[in-house]
mmCIF file of all heavy atoms in Angstrom:
data_model
loop_
_atom_site.group_PDB
_atom_site.id
_atom_site.type_symbol
_atom_site.label_atom_id
_atom_site.label_comp_id
_atom_site.label_asym_id
_atom_site.label_seq_id
_atom_site.Cartn_x
_atom_site.Cartn_y
_atom_site.Cartn_z
ATOM 1 N N GLU X 1 -30.369 87.723 38.677
ATOM 2 C CA GLU X 1 -29.021 88.279 39.013
ATOM 3 C C GLU X 1 -28.279 88.459 37.820
ATOM 4 O O GLU X 1 -28.534 89.013 36.837
ATOM 5 C CB GLU X 1 -28.377 87.552 40.260
ATOM 6 C CG GLU X 1 -29.276 87.670 41.492
ATOM 7 C CD GLU X 1 -28.659 87.084 42.696
ATOM 8 O OE1 GLU X 1 -27.435 86.809 42.669
ATOM 9 O OE2 GLU X 1 -29.382 86.810 43.650
ATOM 10 N N THR X 2 -27.037 87.796 37.805
ATOM 11 C CA THR X 2 -26.197 87.747 36.555
ATOM 12 C C THR X 2 -26.441 86.805 35.508
ATOM 13 O O THR X 2 -25.919 86.783 34.475
ATOM 14 C CB THR X 2 -24.763 87.727 37.054
ATOM 15 O OG1 THR X 2 -24.478 86.458 37.669
ATOM 16 C CG2 THR X 2 -24.271 88.839 37.889
ATOM 17 N N ALA X 3 -27.363 85.872 35.881
ATOM 18 C CA ALA X 3 -27.719 84.689 34.971
ATOM 19 C C ALA X 3 -28.696 85.191 33.852
ATOM 20 O O ALA X 3 -29.874 85.474 34.248
ATOM 21 C CB ALA X 3 -28.238 83.537 35.715
ATOM 22 N N LEU X 4 -28.186 85.467 32.691
ATOM 23 C CA LEU X 4 -28.964 85.980 31.670
ATOM 24 C C LEU X 4 -29.249 84.902 30.469
ATOM 25 O O LEU X 4 -28.401 84.444 29.887
ATOM 26 C CB LEU X 4 -28.287 87.227 30.893
ATOM 27 C CG LEU X 4 -28.973 87.850 29.717
ATOM 28 C CD1 LEU X 4 -30.299 88.512 30.137
ATOM 29 C CD2 LEU X 4 -28.065 88.886 29.200
ATOM 30 N N PRO X 5 -30.540 84.466 30.380
ATOM 31 C CA PRO X 5 -30.801 83.533 29.298
ATOM 32 C C PRO X 5 -30.658 84.246 27.940
ATOM 33 O O PRO X 5 -31.034 85.364 27.719
ATOM 34 C CB PRO X 5 -32.355 83.341 29.599
ATOM 35 C CG PRO X 5 -32.598 83.676 30.920
ATOM 36 C CD PRO X 5 -31.748 84.860 31.247
ATOM 37 N N SER X 6 -30.142 83.551 26.934
ATOM 38 C CA SER X 6 -30.064 84.020 25.585
ATOM 39 C C SER X 6 -29.595 82.780 24.827
ATOM 40 O O SER X 6 -28.911 81.854 25.398
ATOM 41 C CB SER X 6 -29.053 85.087 25.438
ATOM 42 O OG SER X 6 -27.655 84.774 25.542
ATOM 43 N N PRO X 7 -29.931 82.749 23.492
ATOM 44 C CA PRO X 7 -29.376 81.701 22.742
ATOM 45 C C PRO X 7 -27.738 81.557 22.689
ATOM 46 O O PRO X 7 -27.186 80.479 22.620
ATOM 47 C CB PRO X 7 -29.804 82.037 21.268
ATOM 48 C CG PRO X 7 -31.189 82.645 21.450
ATOM 49 C CD PRO X 7 -30.850 83.479 22.813
ATOM 50 N N VAL X 8 -27.175 82.720 22.595
ATOM 51 C CA VAL X 8 -25.717 82.682 22.537
ATOM 52 C C VAL X 8 -25.146 82.235 23.853
ATOM 53 O O VAL X 8 -24.239 81.363 23.917
ATOM 54 C CB VAL X 8 -25.132 84.214 22.381
ATOM 55 C CG1 VAL X 8 -23.675 84.178 22.654
ATOM 56 C CG2 VAL X 8 -25.465 84.484 20.895
ATOM 57 N N ASN X 9 -25.769 82.539 25.101
ATOM 58 C CA ASN X 9 -25.330 82.016 26.336
ATOM 59 C C ASN X 9 -25.595 80.560 26.478
ATOM 60 O O ASN X 9 -24.769 79.847 27.193
ATOM 61 C CB ASN X 9 -25.972 82.864 27.433
ATOM 62 C CG ASN X 9 -25.250 84.210 27.605
ATOM 63 O OD1 ASN X 9 -24.320 84.467 27.148
ATOM 64 N ND2 ASN X 9 -25.962 85.076 28.537
ATOM 65 N N GLU X 10 -26.712 80.136 25.916
ATOM 66 C CA GLU X 10 -26.890 78.708 26.008
ATOM 67 C C GLU X 10 -25.849 77.927 25.167
ATOM 68 O O GLU X 10 -25.325 76.908 25.695
ATOM 69 C CB GLU X 10 -28.365 78.422 25.389
ATOM 70 C CG GLU X 10 -28.662 76.880 25.445
ATOM 71 C CD GLU X 10 -29.926 76.465 24.899
ATOM 72 O OE1 GLU X 10 -30.525 77.353 24.061
ATOM 73 O OE2 GLU X 10 -30.459 75.376 25.052
ATOM 74 N N ALA X 11 -25.677 78.396 24.016
ATOM 75 C CA ALA X 11 -24.386 77.759 23.187
ATOM 76 C C ALA X 11 -23.225 77.861 23.922
ATOM 77 O O ALA X 11 -22.367 76.894 23.943
ATOM 78 C CB ALA X 11 -24.433 78.371 21.833
ATOM 79 N N ARG X 12 -22.715 78.982 24.541
ATOM 80 C CA ARG X 12 -21.558 79.164 25.221
ATOM 81 C C ARG X 12 -21.489 78.058 26.292
ATOM 82 O O ARG X 12 -20.375 77.458 26.553
ATOM 83 C CB ARG X 12 -21.482 80.564 25.827
ATOM 84 C CG ARG X 12 -21.005 81.687 24.959
ATOM 85 C CD ARG X 12 -20.909 82.965 25.657
ATOM 86 N NE ARG X 12 -19.772 82.866 26.529
ATOM 87 C CZ ARG X 12 -19.478 83.816 27.508
ATOM 88 N NH1 ARG X 12 -20.383 84.945 27.553
ATOM 89 N NH2 ARG X 12 -18.521 83.619 28.362
ATOM 90 N N PHE X 13 -22.489 78.014 27.068
ATOM 91 C CA PHE X 13 -22.386 76.970 28.193
ATOM 92 C C PHE X 13 -22.349 75.675 27.795
ATOM 93 O O PHE X 13 -21.533 74.860 28.217
ATOM 94 C CB PHE X 13 -23.734 77.296 29.100
ATOM 95 C CG PHE X 13 -23.755 76.353 30.315
ATOM 96 C CD1 PHE X 13 -23.069 76.599 31.412
ATOM 97 C CD2 PHE X 13 -24.376 75.064 30.309
ATOM 98 C CE1 PHE X 13 -23.177 75.807 32.592
ATOM 99 C CE2 PHE X 13 -24.483 74.174 31.366
ATOM 100 C CZ PHE X 13 -23.783 74.664 32.513
ATOM 101 N N ILE X 14 -23.221 75.151 26.891
ATOM 102 C CA ILE X 14 -23.307 73.836 26.507
ATOM 103 C C ILE X 14 -21.965 73.482 25.780
ATOM 104 O O ILE X 14 -21.327 72.406 26.053
ATOM 105 C CB ILE X 14 -24.455 73.645 25.480
ATOM 106 C CG1 ILE X 14 -25.858 73.745 26.149
ATOM 107 C CG2 ILE X 14 -24.288 72.215 24.839
ATOM 108 C CD1 ILE X 14 -26.028 72.677 27.233
ATOM 109 N N ARG X 15 -21.422 74.235 24.800
ATOM 110 C CA ARG X 15 -20.238 73.983 24.218
ATOM 111 C C ARG X 15 -19.121 73.893 25.109
ATOM 112 O O ARG X 15 -18.126 72.971 25.022
ATOM 113 C CB ARG X 15 -20.065 75.005 23.061
ATOM 114 C CG ARG X 15 -21.115 74.848 21.968
ATOM 115 C CD ARG X 15 -20.749 75.701 20.739
ATOM 116 N NE ARG X 15 -21.938 75.898 19.930
ATOM 117 C CZ ARG X 15 -21.789 76.544 18.745
ATOM 118 N NH1 ARG X 15 -20.733 76.746 18.134
ATOM 119 N NH2 ARG X 15 -23.019 76.713 18.052
ATOM 120 N N GLY X 16 -19.041 74.933 26.016
ATOM 121 C CA GLY X 16 -17.887 74.970 26.964
ATOM 122 C C GLY X 16 -18.014 73.731 28.003
ATOM 123 O O GLY X 16 -16.960 73.059 28.412
ATOM 124 N N PHE X 17 -19.247 73.302 28.370
ATOM 125 C CA PHE X 17 -19.386 72.247 29.410
ATOM 126 C C PHE X 17 -18.992 70.969 28.655
ATOM 127 O O PHE X 17 -18.248 70.101 29.286
ATOM 128 C CB PHE X 17 -20.827 72.081 29.784
ATOM 129 C CG PHE X 17 -21.151 70.842 30.553
ATOM 130 C CD1 PHE X 17 -20.681 70.684 31.844
ATOM 131 C CD2 PHE X 17 -21.679 69.700 29.852
ATOM 132 C CE1 PHE X 17 -20.934 69.458 32.547
ATOM 133 C CE2 PHE X 17 -21.907 68.587 30.591
ATOM 134 C CZ PHE X 17 -21.491 68.444 31.953
ATOM 135 N N VAL X 18 -19.475 70.721 27.408
ATOM 136 C CA VAL X 18 -19.094 69.436 26.750
ATOM 137 C C VAL X 18 -17.607 69.360 26.622
ATOM 138 O O VAL X 18 -16.984 68.240 26.841
ATOM 139 C CB VAL X 18 -19.775 69.440 25.373
ATOM 140 C CG1 VAL X 18 -19.123 68.280 24.602
ATOM 141 C CG2 VAL X 18 -21.238 69.211 25.653
ATOM 142 N N ALA X 19 -16.928 70.292 26.363
ATOM 143 C CA ALA X 19 -15.488 70.306 26.021
ATOM 144 C C ALA X 19 -14.890 69.942 27.538
ATOM 145 O O ALA X 19 -13.886 69.241 27.615
ATOM 146 C CB ALA X 19 -14.978 71.739 25.619
ATOM 147 N N MET X 20 -15.328 70.653 28.583
ATOM 148 C CA MET X 20 -14.718 70.382 29.918
ATOM 149 C C MET X 20 -15.062 69.007 30.298
ATOM 150 O O MET X 20 -14.159 68.243 30.948
ATOM 151 C CB MET X 20 -15.185 71.468 30.921
ATOM 152 C CG MET X 20 -14.815 71.275 32.330
ATOM 153 S SD MET X 20 -15.427 72.593 33.494
ATOM 154 C CE MET X 20 -17.174 72.201 33.418
ATOM 155 N N ALA X 21 -16.281 68.554 30.145
ATOM 156 C CA ALA X 21 -16.591 67.225 30.606
ATOM 157 C C ALA X 21 -15.820 66.128 29.981
ATOM 158 O O ALA X 21 -15.440 65.221 30.541
ATOM 159 C CB ALA X 21 -18.094 66.869 30.546
ATOM 160 N N GLU X 22 -15.707 66.175 28.602
ATOM 161 C CA GLU X 22 -14.932 65.242 27.889
ATOM 162 C C GLU X 22 -13.479 65.201 28.130
ATOM 163 O O GLU X 22 -12.857 64.221 28.223
ATOM 164 C CB GLU X 22 -15.355 65.390 26.341
ATOM 165 C CG GLU X 22 -16.796 65.089 26.073
ATOM 166 C CD GLU X 22 -17.063 65.115 24.616
ATOM 167 O OE1 GLU X 22 -16.283 65.486 23.707
ATOM 168 O OE2 GLU X 22 -18.176 64.669 24.221
ATOM 169 N N GLN X 23 -12.912 66.511 28.433
ATOM 170 C CA GLN X 23 -11.560 66.496 28.739
ATOM 171 C C GLN X 23 -11.318 65.821 30.131
ATOM 172 O O GLN X 23 -10.324 65.201 30.310
ATOM 173 C CB GLN X 23 -11.094 67.927 28.842
ATOM 174 C CG GLN X 23 -9.625 68.206 29.269
ATOM 175 C CD GLN X 23 -9.256 69.530 29.209
ATOM 176 O OE1 GLN X 23 -10.136 70.496 29.553
ATOM 177 N NE2 GLN X 23 -7.956 69.884 29.175
ATOM 178 N N GLN X 24 -12.333 65.972 31.058
ATOM 179 C CA GLN X 24 -12.119 65.334 32.417
ATOM 180 C C GLN X 24 -12.663 64.005 32.514
ATOM 181 O O GLN X 24 -12.463 63.312 33.512
ATOM 182 C CB GLN X 24 -12.853 66.166 33.346
ATOM 183 C CG GLN X 24 -12.479 67.725 33.548
ATOM 184 C CD GLN X 24 -11.136 67.744 34.212
ATOM 185 O OE1 GLN X 24 -10.759 66.972 35.007
ATOM 186 N NE2 GLN X 24 -10.467 68.801 33.782
ATOM 187 N N GLY X 25 -13.308 63.359 31.494
ATOM 188 C CA GLY X 25 -13.783 62.155 31.432
ATOM 189 C C GLY X 25 -15.076 61.904 32.307
ATOM 190 O O GLY X 25 -15.406 60.858 32.767
ATOM 191 N N TRP X 26 -15.830 62.941 32.407
ATOM 192 C CA TRP X 26 -17.050 62.960 33.146
ATOM 193 C C TRP X 26 -18.334 62.251 32.248
ATOM 194 O O TRP X 26 -18.302 62.593 31.055
ATOM 195 C CB TRP X 26 -17.509 64.356 33.589
ATOM 196 C CG TRP X 26 -16.501 64.990 34.570
ATOM 197 C CD1 TRP X 26 -15.679 64.371 35.426
ATOM 198 C CD2 TRP X 26 -16.391 66.329 34.876
ATOM 199 N NE1 TRP X 26 -14.853 65.262 36.051
ATOM 200 C CE2 TRP X 26 -15.335 66.609 35.737
ATOM 201 C CE3 TRP X 26 -17.003 67.568 34.418
ATOM 202 C CZ2 TRP X 26 -15.043 67.849 36.221
ATOM 203 C CZ3 TRP X 26 -16.687 68.729 34.784
ATOM 204 C CH2 TRP X 26 -15.673 68.829 35.760
ATOM 205 N N HIS X 27 -19.076 61.740 32.969
ATOM 206 C CA HIS X 27 -20.404 61.290 32.402
ATOM 207 C C HIS X 27 -21.440 62.340 32.508
ATOM 208 O O HIS X 27 -21.523 62.990 33.650
ATOM 209 C CB HIS X 27 -20.881 59.939 33.030
ATOM 210 C CG HIS X 27 -20.000 58.814 32.631
ATOM 211 N ND1 HIS X 27 -19.431 58.035 33.652
ATOM 212 C CD2 HIS X 27 -19.480 58.321 31.481
ATOM 213 C CE1 HIS X 27 -18.589 57.120 33.136
ATOM 214 N NE2 HIS X 27 -18.658 57.254 31.805
ATOM 215 N N TYR X 28 -22.295 62.598 31.484
ATOM 216 C CA TYR X 28 -23.143 63.747 31.576
ATOM 217 C C TYR X 28 -24.466 63.528 30.814
ATOM 218 O O TYR X 28 -24.471 62.597 29.762
ATOM 219 C CB TYR X 28 -22.457 65.015 31.141
ATOM 220 C CG TYR X 28 -21.973 64.987 29.684
ATOM 221 C CD1 TYR X 28 -22.926 65.305 28.564
ATOM 222 C CD2 TYR X 28 -20.779 64.570 29.230
ATOM 223 C CE1 TYR X 28 -22.618 65.241 27.291
ATOM 224 C CE2 TYR X 28 -20.320 64.565 27.918
ATOM 225 C CZ TYR X 28 -21.292 64.898 26.946
ATOM 226 O OH TYR X 28 -20.995 64.831 25.560
ATOM 227 N N ASN X 29 -25.439 64.200 31.056
ATOM 228 C CA ASN X 29 -26.581 64.260 30.336
ATOM 229 C C ASN X 29 -27.181 65.749 30.224
ATOM 230 O O ASN X 29 -27.202 66.395 31.300
ATOM 231 C CB ASN X 29 -27.784 63.513 31.172
ATOM 232 C CG ASN X 29 -29.068 63.644 30.477
ATOM 233 O OD1 ASN X 29 -29.403 63.000 29.444
ATOM 234 N ND2 ASN X 29 -29.938 64.505 30.998
ATOM 235 N N LEU X 30 -27.340 66.221 29.014
ATOM 236 C CA LEU X 30 -27.699 67.508 28.853
ATOM 237 C C LEU X 30 -29.260 67.674 28.920
ATOM 238 O O LEU X 30 -30.013 66.942 28.444
ATOM 239 C CB LEU X 30 -27.358 68.145 27.421
ATOM 240 C CG LEU X 30 -25.744 67.933 27.170
ATOM 241 C CD1 LEU X 30 -25.447 68.461 25.782
ATOM 242 C CD2 LEU X 30 -24.948 68.765 28.101
ATOM 243 N N ILE X 31 -29.705 68.791 29.449
ATOM 244 C CA ILE X 31 -31.122 69.089 29.501
ATOM 245 C C ILE X 31 -31.385 70.279 28.553
ATOM 246 O O ILE X 31 -30.733 71.433 28.847
ATOM 247 C CB ILE X 31 -31.658 69.416 30.871
ATOM 248 C CG1 ILE X 31 -33.086 69.663 30.999
ATOM 249 C CG2 ILE X 31 -30.927 70.579 31.606
ATOM 250 C CD1 ILE X 31 -33.716 69.625 32.307
ATOM 251 N N GLU X 32 -32.168 70.276 27.702
ATOM 252 C CA GLU X 32 -32.894 68.994 27.283
ATOM 253 C C GLU X 32 -32.938 69.010 25.800
ATOM 254 O O GLU X 32 -32.472 69.930 25.138
ATOM 255 C CB GLU X 32 -34.306 68.946 27.886
ATOM 256 C CG GLU X 32 -35.092 70.221 27.466
ATOM 257 C CD GLU X 32 -36.383 70.250 28.418
ATOM 258 O OE1 GLU X 32 -36.880 69.259 28.862
ATOM 259 O OE2 GLU X 32 -36.758 71.334 28.625
ATOM 260 N N ALA X 33 -33.445 67.857 25.081
ATOM 261 C CA ALA X 33 -33.509 67.804 23.630
ATOM 262 C C ALA X 33 -34.285 68.778 23.017
ATOM 263 O O ALA X 33 -33.780 69.466 22.097
ATOM 264 C CB ALA X 33 -33.991 66.395 23.382
ATOM 265 N N PHE X 34 -35.458 68.975 23.426
ATOM 266 C CA PHE X 34 -36.483 69.926 22.845
ATOM 267 C C PHE X 34 -36.998 70.885 23.850
ATOM 268 O O PHE X 34 -37.427 70.592 24.850
ATOM 269 C CB PHE X 34 -37.561 69.122 22.027
ATOM 270 C CG PHE X 34 -37.007 68.148 21.091
ATOM 271 C CD1 PHE X 34 -36.956 66.793 21.416
ATOM 272 C CD2 PHE X 34 -36.428 68.574 19.884
ATOM 273 C CE1 PHE X 34 -36.498 65.851 20.517
ATOM 274 C CE2 PHE X 34 -35.862 67.536 18.981
ATOM 275 C CZ PHE X 34 -35.839 66.247 19.331
ATOM 276 N N ASP X 35 -37.331 72.155 23.231
ATOM 277 C CA ASP X 35 -38.019 73.041 24.085
ATOM 278 C C ASP X 35 -39.429 72.452 24.560
ATOM 279 O O ASP X 35 -40.002 71.886 23.674
ATOM 280 C CB ASP X 35 -38.156 74.460 23.380
ATOM 281 C CG ASP X 35 -37.019 75.272 23.220
ATOM 282 O OD1 ASP X 35 -36.057 75.036 23.949
ATOM 283 O OD2 ASP X 35 -36.967 76.196 22.471
ATOM 284 N N GLN X 36 -39.843 72.725 25.661
ATOM 285 C CA GLN X 36 -41.113 72.277 26.269
ATOM 286 C C GLN X 36 -42.038 73.392 26.690
ATOM 287 O O GLN X 36 -41.982 73.901 27.807
ATOM 288 C CB GLN X 36 -40.728 71.368 27.489
ATOM 289 C CG GLN X 36 -39.970 70.192 27.154
ATOM 290 C CD GLN X 36 -40.677 69.148 26.331
ATOM 291 O OE1 GLN X 36 -41.687 68.722 26.594
ATOM 292 N NE2 GLN X 36 -40.189 68.766 25.170
ATOM 293 N N PRO X 37 -42.851 73.869 25.757
ATOM 294 C CA PRO X 37 -43.734 74.870 26.010
ATOM 295 C C PRO X 37 -44.500 74.696 27.302
ATOM 296 O O PRO X 37 -44.929 75.753 28.013
ATOM 297 C CB PRO X 37 -44.688 75.171 24.797
ATOM 298 C CG PRO X 37 -43.829 74.543 23.724
ATOM 299 C CD PRO X 37 -42.929 73.423 24.392
ATOM 300 N N TRP X 38 -44.909 73.525 27.651
ATOM 301 C CA TRP X 38 -45.812 73.326 28.732
ATOM 302 C C TRP X 38 -45.241 73.773 30.098
ATOM 303 O O TRP X 38 -45.898 74.089 31.119
ATOM 304 C CB TRP X 38 -46.193 71.833 28.910
ATOM 305 C CG TRP X 38 -45.201 70.848 29.073
ATOM 306 C CD1 TRP X 38 -44.358 70.265 28.179
ATOM 307 C CD2 TRP X 38 -44.751 70.459 30.464
ATOM 308 N NE1 TRP X 38 -43.435 69.349 28.691
ATOM 309 C CE2 TRP X 38 -43.617 69.480 30.060
ATOM 310 C CE3 TRP X 38 -45.007 70.689 31.729
ATOM 311 C CZ2 TRP X 38 -42.898 68.990 31.088
ATOM 312 C CZ3 TRP X 38 -44.297 70.019 32.677
ATOM 313 C CH2 TRP X 38 -43.241 69.135 32.401
ATOM 314 N N LYS X 39 -43.801 73.647 30.085
ATOM 315 C CA LYS X 39 -43.191 74.109 31.360
ATOM 316 C C LYS X 39 -43.257 75.615 31.757
ATOM 317 O O LYS X 39 -43.048 75.940 32.858
ATOM 318 C CB LYS X 39 -41.581 73.843 31.285
ATOM 319 C CG LYS X 39 -41.367 72.271 31.300
ATOM 320 C CD LYS X 39 -39.936 71.984 31.428
ATOM 321 C CE LYS X 39 -39.677 70.491 31.355
ATOM 322 N NZ LYS X 39 -38.091 70.303 31.427
ATOM 323 N N ARG X 40 -43.642 76.398 30.694
ATOM 324 C CA ARG X 40 -43.814 77.908 31.017
ATOM 325 C C ARG X 40 -44.904 78.131 31.941
ATOM 326 O O ARG X 40 -44.895 79.137 32.686
ATOM 327 C CB ARG X 40 -44.144 78.566 29.637
ATOM 328 C CG ARG X 40 -42.844 78.476 28.780
ATOM 329 C CD ARG X 40 -43.237 78.660 27.185
ATOM 330 N NE ARG X 40 -43.874 79.831 26.898
ATOM 331 C CZ ARG X 40 -44.253 80.122 25.621
ATOM 332 N NH1 ARG X 40 -44.236 79.313 24.735
ATOM 333 N NH2 ARG X 40 -44.833 81.265 25.481
ATOM 334 N N ALA X 41 -45.891 77.271 32.040
ATOM 335 C CA ALA X 41 -47.000 77.409 33.004
ATOM 336 C C ALA X 41 -46.633 77.421 34.348
ATOM 337 O O ALA X 41 -47.100 78.159 35.273
ATOM 338 C CB ALA X 41 -48.113 76.399 32.723
ATOM 339 N N SER X 42 -45.530 76.629 34.755
ATOM 340 C CA SER X 42 -45.249 76.470 36.087
ATOM 341 C C SER X 42 -43.869 77.229 36.449
ATOM 342 O O SER X 42 -43.512 77.442 37.669
ATOM 343 C CB SER X 42 -45.081 74.959 36.469
ATOM 344 O OG SER X 42 -44.159 74.329 35.681
ATOM 345 N N GLU X 43 -43.000 77.414 35.372
ATOM 346 C CA GLU X 43 -41.669 77.953 35.637
ATOM 347 C C GLU X 43 -41.514 79.377 34.940
ATOM 348 O O GLU X 43 -40.409 79.845 34.924
ATOM 349 C CB GLU X 43 -40.628 76.987 35.081
ATOM 350 C CG GLU X 43 -40.575 75.702 35.685
ATOM 351 C CD GLU X 43 -39.600 74.752 35.092
ATOM 352 O OE1 GLU X 43 -38.691 75.250 34.404
ATOM 353 O OE2 GLU X 43 -39.520 73.517 35.407
#
């Protein structure tokens, strides 16, 4: 639908989320540290 993967959109989301979470004092965990090629087989 409107959800478009891209490096810029990933950066927009992560950077915006971190700013929002830290402003609100939320605890968070980002997914994920490294790209996982094996997941392409199932997803």
Side-chain angles (χ1 to χ4, degrees):
E1 297 185 15
T2 58
L4 178 64
S6 75
V8 170
N9 282 350
E10 183 181 17
R12 281 184 61 188
F13 180 86
I14 292 293
R15 299 188 196 192
F17 169 78
V18 168
M20 178 173 65
E22 295 187 348
Q23 181 182 21
Q24 297 292 332
W26 296 338
H27 293 125
Y28 64 85
N29 171 78
L30 302 179
I31 184 167
E32 56 194 328
F34 304 105
D35 284 347
Q36 297 292 304
W38 65 270
K39 290 185 178 180
R40 293 154 61 183
S42 57
E43 299 179 10

